[in-house]
Amino acid sequence: SFATKLVPEGQIATPSSSTTTNSSKSPSTSIRVSMPEGTCLCGAAKVIVTGEPIAHLVCHCGDCRRWTGSVNYGVLVKHEQVTIEGEYDTFNLRKTQGAEGGWDRKSCAKCHGHLTATKADGSVDDVCASVICGTGEKQVPFTPKFHAMYPSRIKDVKDGVPKYKNFPADIGGSGELVDE
């Protein structure tokens, strides 16, 4: 089911699901390429990422494809590195089916533009690359480190980037590579 989280103006939604007052109204002088931010389609929800990402990735799993309408171009980061400002909805397919796990997929409550997906255990977020990657002032180039769930692909991708059966071992997968 959907859960809407409304954050009052001047406050920030933090990953712990609490809100904190944003006392700094002036732009930060420490914004760097490693701290990208972006918005949904309508601009009502903003995603800010602090620190370095774990990896940029391309996920080919069926859930990601159905959620995004294509493969998922994502930026994997620790959950505590993500801040969402504005109102958003959360949906977890596994929970609606009465199962555990899955990903809490967050989208703007207004335009339904995709923002992030938080692993149900709260450890990592997959931030939609379309939100924080690009050529904008506070965006970073998308440089995929690997393809995940490649056997689920709908089209072969010959780009020289490693393809995994699921995920690399250093982030909890089997580490098993598959042919390009």
Side-chain angles (χ1 to χ4, degrees):
S1 70
F2 285 93
T4 299
K5 180 167 185 166
L6 178 61
V7 180
E9 190 171 327
Q11 294 192 346
I12 299 171
T14 61
S16 63
S17 297
S18 63
T19 56
T20 58
T21 302
N22 181 6
S23 59
S24 173
K25 298 292 182 187
S26 61
S28 172
T29 56
S30 64
I31 296 291
R32 300 181 318 260
V33 170
S34 63
M35 294 174 53
E37 63 182 64
T39 66
C40 60
L41 182 62
C42 74
K46 179 179 181 181
V47 177
I48 302 166
V49 177
T50 58
E52 295 299 320
I54 297 166
H56 291 199
L57 65 105
V58 180
C59 185
H60 296 266
C61 80
D63 287 352
C64 282
R65 288 196 329 262
R66 285 187 294 276
W67 188 52
T68 64
S70 182
V71 295
N72 175 41
Y73 296 95
V75 179
L76 199 61
V77 297
K78 293 178 185 171
H79 180 60
E80 61 270 11
Q81 292 175 254
V82 178
T83 301
I84 300 174
E85 296 177 351
E87 189 176 350
Y88 61 89
D89 294 326
T90 300
F91 177 78
N92 184 313
L93 178 63
R94 301 288 182 265
K95 290 178 183 173
T96 64
Q97 298 170 335
E100 295 294 317
W103 292 79
D104 295 334
R105 298 178 187 274
K106 298 174 181 88
S107 58
C108 172
K110 245 181 166 174
C111 70
H112 307 289
H114 301 146
L115 302 169
T116 71
T118 305
K119 193 171 179 184
D121 68 5
S123 60
V124 295
D125 270 44
D126 177 0
V127 180
C128 296
S130 61
V131 173
I132 62 168
C133 294
T135 57
E137 182 181 329
K138 294 183 180 176
Q139 293 184 319
V140 295
F142 181 69
T143 53
K145 181 179 176 182
F146 62 89
H147 289 259
M149 310 300 286
Y150 194 67
S152 299
R153 71 192 177 279
I154 57 174
K155 182 174 176 37
D156 289 344
V157 180
K158 306 236 184 249
D159 60 2
V161 175
K163 276 68 172 182
Y164 287 89
K165 180 178 180 181
N166 47 45
F167 285 89
D170 63 342
I171 58 173
S174 70
E176 184 179 337
L177 288 165
V178 295
D179 291 336
E180 190 170 75

